Amino acid sequence: SAVISQKPSRDICQRGTSLTIQCQVDSQVTMMFWYRQQPGQSLTLIATANQGSEATYESGFVIDKFPISRPNLTFSTLTVSNMSPEDSSIYLCSVGEPLEKLFFGSGTQLSVL
Amino acid sequence: GQQVMQIPQYQHVQEGEDFTTYCNSSTTLSNIQWYKQRPGGHPVFLIQLVKSGEVKKQKRLTFQFGEAKKNSSLHITATQTTDVGTYFCAGRKAAGNKLTFGGGTRVLVKP
């Protein structure tokens, strides 16, 4: 199993600012993903964080809005840029090996005023 | 694109009763996973099904993968208050790593 530390756990931000969320894993993992979960809704994949190269974004998500870094096999960051109230959500880091189960971080609850 | 749908969206269950939640994919899946998310928590992996028609049990939970590998079900017997939460299915298409999550079934248990 993988232990994931995700920071911050919650934040309240002003419109137009940016927030960087960190995801630290206690072991090397092949796959790292970033999901968004609106209150009471399902999980939507934002992107796959690729080690040493640009992230792979899903339809509807772009690098300028959600830049992602993955400098090594245990760490990734997601930045939510130029925030608006519509970005208020829970952001989840998840990790796993190809074709296997996912482990999730405890999430970052973001509120944008 | 691939869609994964779950029904019902909400399930109110009397403690001790059984219920089933269903998951349907618009495309054939290589495997399907189930997760449980407690209120205020994060999703936690329950099980993975890979083979056509596969059935797996975890205590009071029975998971089934359809013969065509496009649908799945989770049946819970003798529901307990600890079963409260949202149950998500998540499917993978063949030769892919991306998991597509269903909308979830939110389970409330009446004592």
Side-chain angles (χ1 to χ4, degrees), chain A residues 11-33:
Chain A
D11 207 340
I12 301 173
C13 300
Q14 295 297 320
R15 183 193 302 257
T17 62
S18 298
L19 175 71
T20 295
I21 303 168
Q22 298 182 359
C23 178
Q24 177 74 55
V25 192
D26 68 340
S27 59
Q28 292 186 345
V29 291
T30 304
M31 313 294 292
M32 293 184 80
F33 305 93

mmCIF file of all heavy atoms in Angstrom, chain A residues 11-33:
data_model
loop_
_atom_site.group_PDB
_atom_site.id
_atom_site.type_symbol
_atom_site.label_atom_id
_atom_site.label_comp_id
_atom_site.label_asym_id
_atom_site.label_seq_id
_atom_site.Cartn_x
_atom_site.Cartn_y
_atom_site.Cartn_z
ATOM 1 N N ASP A 11 -8.230 25.229 2.026
ATOM 2 C CA ASP A 11 -7.809 26.625 1.901
ATOM 3 C C ASP A 11 -8.970 27.459 1.385
ATOM 4 O O ASP A 11 -9.838 26.951 0.662
ATOM 5 C CB ASP A 11 -6.605 26.746 0.962
ATOM 6 C CG ASP A 11 -5.734 27.954 1.284
ATOM 7 O OD1 ASP A 11 -6.234 28.886 1.962
ATOM 8 O OD2 ASP A 11 -4.555 27.975 0.866
ATOM 9 N N ILE A 12 -8.951 28.691 1.773
ATOM 10 C CA ILE A 12 -9.914 29.678 1.265
ATOM 11 C C ILE A 12 -9.111 30.737 0.533
ATOM 12 O O ILE A 12 -8.204 31.343 1.117
ATOM 13 C CB ILE A 12 -10.730 30.311 2.413
ATOM 14 C CG1 ILE A 12 -11.493 29.228 3.170
ATOM 15 C CG2 ILE A 12 -11.693 31.360 1.861
ATOM 16 C CD1 ILE A 12 -12.192 29.734 4.424
ATOM 17 N N CYS A 13 -9.409 30.917 -0.742
ATOM 18 C CA CYS A 13 -8.590 31.790 -1.576
ATOM 19 C C CYS A 13 -9.433 32.886 -2.221
ATOM 20 O O CYS A 13 -10.645 32.737 -2.394
ATOM 21 C CB CYS A 13 -7.899 30.963 -2.668
ATOM 22 S SG CYS A 13 -6.816 29.675 -2.019
ATOM 23 N N GLN A 14 -8.757 33.939 -2.591
ATOM 24 C CA GLN A 14 -9.419 35.039 -3.276
ATOM 25 C C GLN A 14 -9.419 34.796 -4.775
ATOM 26 O O GLN A 14 -8.502 34.181 -5.343
ATOM 27 C CB GLN A 14 -8.697 36.355 -2.968
ATOM 28 C CG GLN A 14 -8.779 36.776 -1.501
ATOM 29 C CD GLN A 14 -10.195 37.052 -1.064
ATOM 30 O OE1 GLN A 14 -10.995 37.638 -1.805
ATOM 31 N NE2 GLN A 14 -10.537 36.616 0.140
ATOM 32 N N ARG A 15 -10.443 35.276 -5.392
ATOM 33 C CA ARG A 15 -10.556 35.220 -6.860
ATOM 34 C C ARG A 15 -9.307 35.815 -7.510
ATOM 35 O O ARG A 15 -8.786 36.825 -7.066
ATOM 36 C CB ARG A 15 -11.795 36.016 -7.266
ATOM 37 C CG ARG A 15 -12.118 36.027 -8.742
ATOM 38 C CD ARG A 15 -13.159 37.114 -9.003
ATOM 39 N NE ARG A 15 -14.372 36.888 -8.222
ATOM 40 C CZ ARG A 15 -15.483 36.402 -8.728
ATOM 41 N NH1 ARG A 15 -15.536 36.045 -10.015
ATOM 42 N NH2 ARG A 15 -16.551 36.252 -7.975
ATOM 43 N N GLY A 16 -8.806 35.154 -8.538
ATOM 44 C CA GLY A 16 -7.665 35.668 -9.285
ATOM 45 C C GLY A 16 -6.312 35.192 -8.784
ATOM 46 O O GLY A 16 -5.298 35.372 -9.467
ATOM 47 N N THR A 17 -6.284 34.569 -7.622
ATOM 48 C CA THR A 17 -5.010 34.078 -7.095
ATOM 49 C C THR A 17 -4.795 32.634 -7.518
ATOM 50 O O THR A 17 -5.635 32.024 -8.178
ATOM 51 C CB THR A 17 -4.973 34.175 -5.561
ATOM 52 O OG1 THR A 17 -5.997 33.344 -5.003
ATOM 53 C CG2 THR A 17 -5.199 35.618 -5.113
ATOM 54 N N SER A 18 -3.650 32.075 -7.129
ATOM 55 C CA SER A 18 -3.319 30.686 -7.461
ATOM 56 C C SER A 18 -2.996 29.914 -6.197
ATOM 57 O O SER A 18 -2.508 30.499 -5.216
ATOM 58 C CB SER A 18 -2.123 30.637 -8.423
ATOM 59 O OG SER A 18 -2.425 31.280 -9.642
ATOM 60 N N LEU A 19 -3.237 28.629 -6.248
ATOM 61 C CA LEU A 19 -2.935 27.751 -5.115
ATOM 62 C C LEU A 19 -2.208 26.525 -5.636
ATOM 63 O O LEU A 19 -2.634 25.915 -6.616
ATOM 64 C CB LEU A 19 -4.207 27.308 -4.403
ATOM 65 C CG LEU A 19 -4.010 26.286 -3.277
ATOM 66 C CD1 LEU A 19 -3.339 26.961 -2.078
ATOM 67 C CD2 LEU A 19 -5.324 25.643 -2.865
ATOM 68 N N THR A 20 -1.138 26.155 -4.962
ATOM 69 C CA THR A 20 -0.403 24.939 -5.317
ATOM 70 C C THR A 20 -0.639 23.872 -4.267
ATOM 71 O O THR A 20 -0.450 24.108 -3.065
ATOM 72 C CB THR A 20 1.101 25.222 -5.460
ATOM 73 O OG1 THR A 20 1.299 26.113 -6.555
ATOM 74 C CG2 THR A 20 1.868 23.932 -5.734
ATOM 75 N N ILE A 21 -1.054 22.704 -4.730
ATOM 76 C CA ILE A 21 -1.334 21.563 -3.865
ATOM 77 C C ILE A 21 -0.206 20.554 -4.032
ATOM 78 O O ILE A 21 0.212 20.255 -5.150
ATOM 79 C CB ILE A 21 -2.677 20.907 -4.244
ATOM 80 C CG1 ILE A 21 -3.808 21.944 -4.169
ATOM 81 C CG2 ILE A 21 -2.968 19.726 -3.346
ATOM 82 C CD1 ILE A 21 -5.108 21.470 -4.812
ATOM 83 N N GLN A 22 0.270 20.041 -2.908
ATOM 84 C CA GLN A 22 1.379 19.099 -2.944
ATOM 85 C C GLN A 22 0.915 17.687 -2.607
ATOM 86 O O GLN A 22 0.040 17.493 -1.760
ATOM 87 C CB GLN A 22 2.454 19.513 -1.936
ATOM 88 C CG GLN A 22 3.073 20.862 -2.213
ATOM 89 C CD GLN A 22 4.160 21.195 -1.216
ATOM 90 O OE1 GLN A 22 4.455 20.424 -0.298
ATOM 91 N NE2 GLN A 22 4.790 22.336 -1.400
ATOM 92 N N CYS A 23 1.543 16.724 -3.246
ATOM 93 C CA CYS A 23 1.241 15.317 -3.019
ATOM 94 C C CYS A 23 2.557 14.569 -2.851
ATOM 95 O O CYS A 23 3.366 14.518 -3.777
ATOM 96 C CB CYS A 23 0.444 14.763 -4.196
ATOM 97 S SG CYS A 23 0.043 13.016 -4.079
ATOM 98 N N GLN A 24 2.754 14.009 -1.658
ATOM 99 C CA GLN A 24 3.980 13.286 -1.340
ATOM 100 C C GLN A 24 3.625 11.836 -1.007
ATOM 101 O O GLN A 24 2.761 11.595 -0.172
ATOM 102 C CB GLN A 24 4.695 13.931 -0.146
ATOM 103 C CG GLN A 24 5.949 13.213 0.311
ATOM 104 C CD GLN A 24 7.111 13.426 -0.648
ATOM 105 O OE1 GLN A 24 7.483 14.551 -0.960
ATOM 106 N NE2 GLN A 24 7.698 12.336 -1.128
ATOM 107 N N VAL A 25 4.305 10.915 -1.652
ATOM 108 C CA VAL A 25 4.042 9.485 -1.437
ATOM 109 C C VAL A 25 5.227 8.871 -0.706
ATOM 110 O O VAL A 25 6.369 9.282 -0.928
ATOM 111 C CB VAL A 25 3.816 8.753 -2.770
ATOM 112 C CG1 VAL A 25 3.256 7.355 -2.537
ATOM 113 C CG2 VAL A 25 2.889 9.551 -3.667
ATOM 114 N N ASP A 26 4.955 7.871 0.119
ATOM 115 C CA ASP A 26 6.015 7.289 0.940
ATOM 116 C C ASP A 26 6.842 6.245 0.186
ATOM 117 O O ASP A 26 7.781 5.672 0.744
ATOM 118 C CB ASP A 26 5.437 6.668 2.217
ATOM 119 C CG ASP A 26 4.580 5.446 1.939
ATOM 120 O OD1 ASP A 26 4.117 5.286 0.796
ATOM 121 O OD2 ASP A 26 4.364 4.663 2.888
ATOM 122 N N SER A 27 6.505 5.996 -1.069
ATOM 123 C CA SER A 27 7.267 5.049 -1.883
ATOM 124 C C SER A 27 7.173 5.463 -3.347
ATOM 125 O O SER A 27 6.285 6.236 -3.713
ATOM 126 C CB SER A 27 6.737 3.626 -1.694
ATOM 127 O OG SER A 27 5.368 3.568 -2.066
ATOM 128 N N GLN A 28 8.076 4.940 -4.149
ATOM 129 C CA GLN A 28 8.047 5.285 -5.573
ATOM 130 C C GLN A 28 6.845 4.639 -6.244
ATOM 131 O O GLN A 28 6.567 3.455 -6.034
ATOM 132 C CB GLN A 28 9.341 4.815 -6.242
ATOM 133 C CG GLN A 28 10.565 5.581 -5.775
ATOM 134 C CD GLN A 28 11.814 5.204 -6.553
ATOM 135 O OE1 GLN A 28 11.849 4.198 -7.240
ATOM 136 N NE2 GLN A 28 12.849 6.025 -6.457
ATOM 137 N N VAL A 29 6.138 5.402 -7.027
ATOM 138 C CA VAL A 29 4.970 4.903 -7.742
ATOM 139 C C VAL A 29 5.081 5.279 -9.208
ATOM 140 O O VAL A 29 5.623 6.324 -9.563
ATOM 141 C CB VAL A 29 3.651 5.455 -7.154
ATOM 142 C CG1 VAL A 29 3.391 4.889 -5.779
ATOM 143 C CG2 VAL A 29 3.665 6.977 -7.123
ATOM 144 N N THR A 30 4.515 4.440 -10.035
ATOM 145 C CA THR A 30 4.578 4.685 -11.475
ATOM 146 C C THR A 30 3.591 5.765 -11.894
ATOM 147 O O THR A 30 3.921 6.693 -12.603
ATOM 148 C CB THR A 30 4.309 3.392 -12.253
ATOM 149 O OG1 THR A 30 5.236 2.401 -11.820
ATOM 150 C CG2 THR A 30 4.445 3.612 -13.751
ATOM 151 N N MET A 31 2.352 5.605 -11.447
ATOM 152 C CA MET A 31 1.286 6.487 -11.913
ATOM 153 C C MET A 31 0.859 7.445 -10.801
ATOM 154 O O MET A 31 0.653 7.032 -9.661
ATOM 155 C CB MET A 31 0.068 5.671 -12.355
ATOM 156 C CG MET A 31 0.351 4.486 -13.258
ATOM 157 S SD MET A 31 0.976 4.975 -14.872
ATOM 158 C CE MET A 31 -0.455 5.769 -15.561
ATOM 159 N N MET A 32 0.714 8.709 -11.159
ATOM 160 C CA MET A 32 0.133 9.693 -10.257
ATOM 161 C C MET A 32 -0.929 10.463 -11.018
ATOM 162 O O MET A 32 -0.708 10.864 -12.169
ATOM 163 C CB MET A 32 1.196 10.662 -9.710
ATOM 164 C CG MET A 32 2.206 9.995 -8.793
ATOM 165 S SD MET A 32 3.374 11.162 -8.055
ATOM 166 C CE MET A 32 2.400 11.832 -6.710
ATOM 167 N N PHE A 33 -2.058 10.647 -10.376
ATOM 168 C CA PHE A 33 -3.192 11.294 -11.018
ATOM 169 C C PHE A 33 -3.728 12.412 -10.123
ATOM 170 O O PHE A 33 -3.617 12.363 -8.907
ATOM 171 C CB PHE A 33 -4.339 10.302 -11.260
ATOM 172 C CG PHE A 33 -3.957 9.073 -12.034
ATOM 173 C CD1 PHE A 33 -3.578 7.914 -11.375
ATOM 174 C CD2 PHE A 33 -3.992 9.064 -13.422
ATOM 175 C CE1 PHE A 33 -3.240 6.767 -12.065
ATOM 176 C CE2 PHE A 33 -3.654 7.914 -14.127
ATOM 177 C CZ PHE A 33 -3.281 6.773 -13.450
#
